[in-house]
Amino acid sequence: MGQSLSTIARDAVDCFGEANHGRVRICAGGCGIVYLDTSRAASRRWCTMQRCGNRAKVRAHRARKAGKAANAVKAPLSAA
């Protein structure tokens, strides 16, 4: 048990240390998961693409689709 706790503590120090400053983030998908962004550009937004990333992209797609449909309904009929 003591060995396990020391391993976890060492990994936490490595994760939250100076080398990873700015790469520890909270998921933008709203799940609240804290993750270490290991992407090359340090631009990851979600904990995982399968969980929150996909949901966010589906929401954005539906909003765009709904916006296009609303704009089509609101467009005035042109006089011919």
Side-chain angles (χ1 to χ4, degrees):
M1 174 99 170
Q3 181 66 30
S4 298
L5 291 177
S6 68
T7 301
I8 292 171
R10 185 184 65 242
D11 290 346
V13 168
D14 289 343
C15 181
F16 296 111
E18 191 64 33
N20 293 321
H21 179 70
R23 287 188 173 250
V24 177
R25 302 206 173 128
I26 298 174
C27 180
C31 69
I33 291 178
V34 177
Y35 66 92
L36 178 63
D37 181 4
T38 57
S39 65
R40 186 179 301 180
S43 59
R44 194 168 128 197
R45 294 186 282 174
W46 306 292
C47 56
T48 65
M49 188 61 198
Q50 293 79 15
R51 182 177 176 167
C52 292
N54 186 51
R55 290 177 187 167
K57 287 186 174 196
V58 167
R59 271 194 304 271
H61 172 74
R62 288 181 180 164
R64 283 191 308 271
K65 191 175 178 182
K68 286 180 183 178
N71 288 338
V73 171
K74 291 179 185 178
L77 297 174
S78 58

